Amino acid sequence: MRVMGVDPGLTRCGISLVDGGLGRSVTALDVDVVRTPPDMPLAQRLLRISDAAEHWMDTHGPDVIAIERVFSQNNVRTAMGTAQAGGVIALAAARRGIEVCFHTPSEVKAAVTGSGSADKAQVTGMITRILGLQQAPKPADAADALALAICHCWRAPMIARMAEAERRAAEQQRQFKARLATARRDGAGRTANSGRKETR
Amino acid sequence: MRVMGVDPGLTRCGISLVDGGLGRSVTALDVDVVRTPPDMPLAQRLLRISDAAEHWMDTHGPDVIAIERVFSQNNVRTAMGTAQAGGVIALAAARRGIEVCFHTPSEVKAAVTGSGSADKAQVTGMITRILGLQQAPKPADAADALALAICHCWRAPMIARMAEAERRAAEQQRQFKARLATARRDGAGRTANSGRKETR
């Protein structure tokens, strides 16, 4: 499974490409950070980020795009820009029929380090070891993009199992409701019939 | 000036088209609300919104897209979705070389009602009067999209004047810095020369 990991951002947007093999084997294929100047109009910044992400998608043909899910950050303005950068990349994936999956920062940290509250240094250290890199990936956005992709490789089987379980549960509920409706209709029919008998 | 007003949102995204004439004359050409179901994957929702907005752009050829600038709302999740919906529309405009302008909710309210803290009913009432409509536009997202476009028509000359003033100020500052640097270099040259004379 080829996963494109995205650590979204307007000023720095980390993009990585990781191949997930059997079990927990993962191979980093590429990683880069797309930058846009803060004094550029927002629409132009989004266009530059989208163009870069689309170039990666068309060149490498990932099976899935794993994007960090943005929550409120201390700086609301930054959080909005981050959400928008992730949004335009999700849109580009949807246009190509590529699956998009969002992971929260704590899901990523937990998957990679075993702790949902690990700091940046711990995440970078684990990424360097997991991928067997000579040097720690820099800047932090590059490491985060790799962590996102690895997190998806490792969580994907579990997510698929949960989706399958939810699908089955929904199917069972549908069948149960259908049987209940049939039973009620039959019951109502009998009551109506018995009612009619009494009034005769 | 033909303005496409956008009240961004994932569940309901208001889009309007307004022609701004001389002075404060404005004519509503069209207004609609794009809806996407909350249980649809985010990337698909963004795709549907983007497709609708792009269809409007390609059909009506607006000169500028006026989008509501999103601030933190009570519900952070909603605010993120709103920011993303606005982001993909800004991207579509940038791809077509159409200018994008953001206005805050209070700028819109102030432009349309005269008060930055007007409520929804006041905004809808004023929009109905300004555009000379037989009925108040519904839902609120449609009225907001019209308010955005009218706000842009009325603020555009002022924004253009401010941009021109800023451009001139930046140019003056550049010239002043250049003169200062020349004066310093000449001064430093004289000091160096006088220093050389002294050591002779």
Side-chain angles (χ1 to χ4, degrees), chain A residues 42-44 46-48 50-51 54 69-73 76-77 79-84 86-88 90-91 93-95 98 100 102, chain B residues 42-44 46-48 50-51 54 69-73 76-77 79-84 86-88 90-91 93-95 98 100 102:
Chain A
L42 174 64
Q44 293 299 325
L46 293 173
L47 179 58
R48 190 173 284 190
S50 181
D51 279 347
E54 287 178 56
R69 187 186 294 280
V70 184
F71 280 106
S72 85
Q73 296 172 351
V76 176
R77 210 194 165 95
M80 295 297 165
T82 307
Q84 288 171 325
V88 298
L91 172 74
R95 278 211 194 295
I98 304 173
V100 179
F102 289 88
Chain B
L42 174 64
Q44 294 299 325
L46 293 173
L47 180 58
R48 190 173 284 190
S50 181
D51 280 347
E54 288 179 54
R69 188 184 294 280
V70 185
F71 280 105
S72 84
Q73 296 172 351
V76 176
R77 211 193 164 95
M80 295 296 164
T82 306
Q84 288 170 327
V88 298
L91 172 73
R95 277 212 195 293
I98 303 173
V100 179
F102 290 88

Side-chain angles (χ1 to χ4, degrees), chain B residues 70-121:
Chain B
V70 185
F71 280 105
S72 84
Q73 296 172 351
N74 293 338
N75 187 334
V76 176
R77 211 193 164 95
T78 308
M80 295 296 164
T82 306
Q84 288 170 327
V88 298
I89 294 176
L91 172 73
R95 277 212 195 293
R96 286 160 177 75
I98 303 173
E99 190 193 338
V100 179
C101 206
F102 290 88
H103 301 279
T104 66
S106 53
E107 283 167 348
V108 176
K109 288 174 189 170
V112 172
T113 70
S115 158
S117 57
D119 62 19
K120 286 219 173 273

Side-chain angles (χ1 to χ4, degrees), chain A residues 54-190:
Chain A
E54 287 178 56
H55 179 72
W56 277 64
M57 290 179 202
D58 295 337
T59 308
H60 301 291
D63 301 303
V64 59
I65 317 281
I67 307 179
E68 187 175 289
R69 187 186 294 280
V70 184
F71 280 106
S72 85
Q73 296 172 351
N74 293 338
N75 188 333
V76 176
R77 210 194 165 95
T78 308
M80 295 297 165
T82 307
Q84 288 171 325
V88 298
I89 295 177
L91 172 74
R95 278 211 194 295
R96 286 160 178 75
I98 304 173
E99 190 193 338
V100 179
C101 206
F102 289 88
H103 302 278
T104 66
S106 53
E107 282 167 349
V108 176
K109 288 175 190 171
V112 172
T113 71
S115 159
S117 58
D119 62 20
K120 287 220 172 270
Q122 285 173 299
V123 171
T124 303
M126 280 305 292
I127 290 298
T128 313
R129 276 167 61 182
I130 291 165
L131 295 171
L133 304 174
Q134 299 277 323
Q135 282 194 317
K138 276 183 194 172
D141 314 81
D144 284 347
L146 287 165
L148 248 306
I150 295 171
C151 165
H152 185 82
C153 289
W154 291 353
R155 289 190 78 217
M158 191 261 291
I159 292 170
R161 276 200 303 276
M162 274 178 63
E164 174 59 22
E166 271 177 23
R167 197 195 56 74
R168 262 191 238 157
E171 174 61 18
Q172 281 178 352
Q173 195 178 28
R174 198 190 58 74
Q175 286 177 355
F176 175 76
K177 274 187 181 162
R179 261 186 305 175
L180 204 69
T182 313
R184 276 210 187 115
R185 202 170 51 238
D186 290 358
R190 271 200 294 280

